Structure formats: C-alpha cells, structure tokens
Amino acid sequence: NKLLKNKIKKIKYNILIIGSSQGIGHDILNIFNENKNIKKFVTYNKNKIKINSNSIYPIQFNVYNDLNKIDKILNKNTPIKIYYFASPKIYFDNKLPVSIRNIYKYIFLKFPILLLKRYKDKDISFFYPSTTNIFENKNSYYSKIKLNAETKIKKICLKYQIPLQIIRFPAINSRQSVSLSNPNPKS
C-alpha cells in the first residue's frame, strides 16, 4: 500500500528485529526494507535470512547465550526500535510439560526483561507481539504465560520510560489456530 510505503521511507531510526527468519518477523523485515536509508539488524537462530539489500545485517542469535551480540548493535546504533518476535518451535501432545512452559517463560518474560533492564539508558522503543496458539482443555498456557509476561514488561517499560507497543493477534497456520470466529478450537 502506497501510504505505508511512504511512511516507512520517512523513518529515521534503526531497526532490530529479534526473530526475523520466518513468520511475522520476516514479514516486518520486508516492510521495513522499503527504506534503504536505515539499518535493519535481523536475527535468526537456524533459518538463515535471505538478503536482498545492503542495509540488512543478519546475525545468528540464540536468546540463551548471545546477548553480547545485541550489546554491539545497541551501543552503536541508537535510536533503535526493537521488534521482538522470538518464539520457540515446540511440538507436543495433549499436555504441556513444565520444561516446555519454562522455555516459554524464558523467551517471553525473562529474556525481554533482561534486555529492557540492561538497555534502559539507551534510546530504544520496544515492540512486543502477543499471540495465542497453544491449547489444553480450552485454556491457553501460552496465552497465560504471555499475559503474565506482558504485565511485567509493561511495568518495566513504565519504570524506565521505554516506549512500548503490545499488539495482540491470533496465530495462523498452526494446528491450534485461533480466529475471531473460532476462539476455542479443539486441541
């Protein structure tokens, strides 16, 4: 859409997309790629990102042990907006084990809070998407974890005056897909 392209071309801040090798993170990268004048730092874990621009900087990144890579980016490239799309690919049958819930808690809560506290003095903004797609007995563990994480992340951002945007949308193309017409699909 022409209006969106014009707005993207006027952006002056740099972009860091954590989790941009596929899905929504990759779609966001394609949108921001309309602006060749800003740097786009994009992380991937396993699926390498296809590059079609000199202003895209792909970085292999693991949320468990590569925070130093983020240090280098944020120390040299602020103001910057961080788009956080890190999401584990986990498959399970009927029950969600505690070990899997702990992985989600780390990725959706502990790591973002560590990131925000560590860079509270930098000129950053934080975009944190929320999705729903893991169900057991019509209760979403993923959603409960994300909702708890959102509440804590909001408090951290408020405390340190970090601009925060949380956008909620349903996950698509998954076995547990949610939609407005079908909010509680069978697991």
Side-chain angles (χ1 to χ4, degrees):
N1 147 335
K2 207 173 194 179
L3 182 62
L4 178 63
K5 285 182 179 181
N6 287 337
K7 285 189 173 206
I8 295 293
K9 287 179 180 175
K10 292 178 184 176
I11 291 173
K12 304 222 183 292
Y13 49 80
N14 295 309
I15 304 290
L16 167 60
I17 305 173
I18 297 176
S20 52
S21 60
Q22 59 189 7
I24 297 164
H26 189 69
D27 291 342
I28 294 291
L29 168 61
N30 288 335
I31 291 169
F32 282 121
N33 201 27
E34 293 293 327
N35 186 336
K36 306 295 182 195
N37 298 319
I38 61 171
K39 293 178 184 175
K40 287 145 315 253
F41 300 93
V42 293
T43 71
Y44 65 94
N45 188 5
K46 294 181 182 175
N47 300 329
K48 194 165 183 177
I49 299 166
K50 295 175 186 168
I51 303 304
N52 58 358
S53 170
N54 290 335
S55 62
I56 297 176
Y57 302 90
I59 299 137
Q60 189 166 15
F61 177 77
N62 182 309
V63 295
Y64 291 99
N65 54 19
D66 285 340
L67 192 56
N68 61 331
K69 291 181 180 181
I70 302 297
D71 278 340
K72 292 175 185 173
I73 295 167
L74 296 186
N75 286 331
K76 295 179 184 176
N77 297 285
T78 52
I80 195 164
K81 285 201 180 217
I82 301 171
Y83 291 78
Y84 190 79
F85 293 100
S87 182
K89 289 283 184 193
I90 297 173
Y91 300 95
F92 62 93
D93 297 322
N94 301 325
K95 293 195 177 191
L96 193 61
V98 171
S99 61
I100 302 297
R101 279 184 278 176
N102 288 339
I103 290 170
Y104 277 106
K105 283 179 185 175
Y106 180 83
I107 289 176
F108 295 127
L109 179 62
K110 292 180 181 176
F111 182 80
I113 286 177
L114 175 67
L115 185 76
L116 291 168
K117 283 184 174 179
R118 189 163 178 166
Y119 303 111
K120 65 182 183 284
D121 297 325
K122 296 283 181 197
D123 186 3
I124 64 170
S125 299
F126 193 66
F127 177 88
Y128 186 74
S130 178
T131 57
T132 304
N133 72 349
I134 293 182
F135 286 84
E136 181 180 326
N137 300 327
K138 295 188 179 180
N139 291 317
S140 171
Y141 284 116
Y142 187 168
S143 287
K144 288 176 186 176
I145 292 167
K146 286 287 292 231
L147 189 59
N148 182 34
E150 286 175 21
T151 302
K152 292 180 179 178
I153 286 169
K154 283 178 191 175
K155 287 179 184 176
I156 296 290
C157 287
L158 188 61
K159 180 178 179 179
Y160 298 120
Q161 299 179 343
I162 296 169
L164 169 70
Q165 293 176 347
I166 295 177
I167 305 296
R168 289 193 181 97
F169 47 84
I172 303 170
N173 299 326
S174 70
R175 189 167 56 86
Q176 297 88 7
S177 283
V178 179
S179 70
L180 294 175
S181 61
N182 186 21
N184 293 308
K186 295 177 182 178
S187 59

